Amino acid sequence: MNPPVKSVSTEPKTVQARAEAGEAPPTDYIIKESQHPLDAPTPLTAPLPVVHLGQPDEAEEIKTALQSWGMFQVIDHGMPPSFLDELRGVARAFFKLPVDEKQKYSNIRDGQFGQEGYGNDGIIAEGQILDWTDRLYLLVQPEDSRNLELWPTNPNSLRDVLHEYTMKTKKLVENVLKTTAISLELSEDFFIGHLGEKFTIVASFNYYPCCSMPDLVFGLKPHTDGTLITVILPDKDVEGLQVMKDGEWITVTTSPHALIINIGDQMEIMSNGFFKSPVHRVVTFSDKDRISIAMFCANLPEKVIGPADELVNDMRPRMYKNLKVKDYTEVFFQRFLQGKRAIDLAQV
Ligand SMILES: O=C(O)CCC(=O)C(=O)O
Ligand SMILES: [Fe+2]
């Protein structure tokens, strides 16, 4: 994935530092009235559908969930609650460190924004609306492409816990993708065969500090993921993830130790639009902060993806072109920062 780069002279203030200083969000965080009308109804709250992995109905459950929500929760994912709590604890401990300590892993190196590391989004466009979040963003797979100098050694268990979580996520994702392929009547290896053994996984530890004007900013602006599939470990106590379903925003709830699985644009393309990549966003609160950990799983940059042949027929013509993942993700990130989608690039 190629980071959007721009020369910067100073490190921008983190959102956490602004929140801790009691600063109101500066104007470049304030969203346009048209995107978030103040008189919009309060979103409904609903539990995400549960997929019971390993049960006889798993493929049918995945199909129904992905067609209606584009996401679901899994509880029987095989990761012990104590491990997920440890991971959340490590994320919280990292964000609690003094700013100087976190800046050792800054995503600004030699005056250039890179995507990996700790910090905020790069600023690439006039009028770009910034998100009320700080993150630690690390490529975790392929293992031999890791930039370990950006992997914090404080808290000292972070590296080991993240490595273990990567291995567990890989297994879970392979399992989910087999069932997803079956739900589309494809051979069970369709997605994992394409991905290969060492597919891309990027971990994003997201921290959303309290915000004094939660109605006027996004923790994360409406977007789809550019991935094949994303695994999210949500905050145990604070909701905040909302998904657009049938034209309405819905705040999703999950069981305490569930993982959320959502599909991204690569799945929309490969399934010939049978499954649509869901638009989602994160909201903030004046009295509570929130953490989440997203694992972005994608085809390798040099791979070419396109709709499965079996899903293209007279009744359902080809809706997407074949394209190189690298070419898509490059544009995807530029558009993401501007709050726009990139899927039109792939559409026939
Ligand atoms: O914080 C969350 O729950 C979701 C994060 C997300 O959508 C993302 O990082 O792309
Ligand atoms: Fe997302």
Side-chain angles (χ1 to χ4, degrees):
M1 288 183 210
N2 273 8
V5 285
K6 186 184 174 189
S7 235
V8 280
S9 50
T10 51
E11 299 205 336
K13 213 167 179 175
T14 62
V15 171
Q16 187 176 4
R18 292 186 193 283
E20 283 169 5
E23 261 183 51
T27 50
D28 39 3
Y29 287 83
I30 307 292
I31 53 195
K32 304 239 164 37
E33 165 77 26
S34 60
Q35 257 211 311
H36 202 221
L38 285 171
D39 57 359
T42 310
L44 298 169
T45 296
L48 273 180
V50 178
V51 167
H52 301 88
L53 290 178
Q55 299 299 311
D57 292 338
E58 60 175 354
E60 205 46 48
E61 286 179 351
I62 284 195
K63 187 171 167 184
T64 309
L66 290 184
Q67 283 191 311
S68 49
W69 290 79
M71 57 173 78
F72 55 85
Q73 54 174 321
V74 284
I75 299 158
D76 37 12
H77 42 59
M79 300 190 209
S82 57
F83 177 71
L84 297 180
D85 282 344
E86 188 181 6
L87 181 60
R88 289 180 173 116
V90 157
R92 280 222 170 257
F94 174 75
F95 288 109
K96 275 219 177 94
L97 293 172
V99 174
D100 287 355
E101 179 66 22
K102 287 179 291 205
Q103 292 292 12
K104 288 184 189 164
Y105 312 103
S106 173
N107 60 6
I108 300 172
R109 291 179 295 286
D110 304 325
Q112 298 263 305
F113 265 111
Q115 222 159 13
E116 269 198 272
Y118 165 73
N120 306 113
D121 283 335
I123 298 175
I124 58 154
E126 189 91 4
Q128 183 183 328
I129 310 294
L130 305 182
D131 293 324
W132 197 253
T133 186
D134 296 326
R135 61 174 83 89
L136 173 67
Y137 194 85
L138 299 170
L139 178 81
V140 294
Q141 189 177 274
E143 270 186 64
D144 51 12
S145 300
R146 290 178 180 176
N147 289 311
L148 281 178
E149 72 281 5
L150 293 174
W151 286 47
T153 48
N154 188 1
N156 64 17
S157 59
L158 189 146
R159 288 182 171 198
D160 287 347
V161 172
L162 183 55
H163 175 75
E164 193 177 341
Y165 188 50
T166 304
M167 297 299 114
K168 288 178 162 35
T169 299
K170 180 176 187 229
K171 237 169 98 183
L172 172 66
V173 162
E174 287 172 346
N175 189 1
V176 167
L177 286 174
K178 278 188 190 172
T179 312
T180 306
I182 293 168
S183 83
L184 290 166
E185 294 174 29
L186 300 171
S187 94
E188 72 167 18
D189 290 340
F190 178 76
F191 295 111
I192 60 172
H194 237 94
L195 277 177
E197 263 299 301
K198 296 168 142 199
F199 59 91
T200 305
I201 308 181
V202 172
S204 182
F205 292 78
N206 305 313
Y207 179 60
Y208 307 94
C210 296
C211 179
S212 59
M213 300 162 108
D215 291 340
L216 298 181
V217 304
F218 287 129
L220 193 51
K221 59 175 86 60
H223 68 284
T224 60
D225 292 352
T227 56
L228 182 63
I229 196 168
T230 305
V231 180
I232 303 168
L233 177 64
D235 197 288
K236 206 160 144 186
D237 305 308
V238 182
E239 288 144 14
L241 174 62
Q242 299 182 338
V243 62
M244 174 68 82
K245 181 175 183 295
D246 305 326
E248 284 186 285
W249 287 109
I250 301 194
T251 301
V252 304
T253 60
T254 51
S255 299
H257 296 295
L259 289 166
I260 296 173
I261 309 256
N262 72 271
I263 53 166
D265 291 356
Q266 293 180 26
M267 178 62 80
E268 178 168 333
I269 295 167
M270 294 179 82
S271 72
N272 197 27
F274 200 86
F275 296 142
K276 293 281 192 310
S277 178
V279 177
H280 54 288
R281 67 182 190 186
V282 177
V283 295
T284 61
F285 302 92
S286 58
D287 56 350
K288 42 195 182 188
D289 60 6
R290 178 174 181 271
I291 53 148
S292 69
I293 298 151
M295 299 292 267
F296 299 114
C297 303
N299 287 283
L300 288 165
E302 298 299 330
K303 290 255 169 154
V304 172
I305 56 164
D309 290 340
E310 298 86 333
L311 300 176
V312 178
N313 52 48
D314 291 346
M315 302 287 288
R316 194 177 183 87
R318 163 182 279 268
M319 290 170 64
Y320 304 87
K321 301 173 209 162
N322 286 352
L323 38 78
K324 199 185 250 191
V325 170
K326 185 166 94 176
D327 297 340
Y328 189 73
T329 44
E330 232 166 73
V331 179
F332 174 87
F333 282 116
Q334 305 282 333
R335 299 258 184 106
F336 171 85
L337 292 174
Q338 298 173 68
K340 297 180 191 152
R341 290 204 63 187
I343 197 75
D344 58 294
L345 216 79
Q347 278 158 341
V348 169

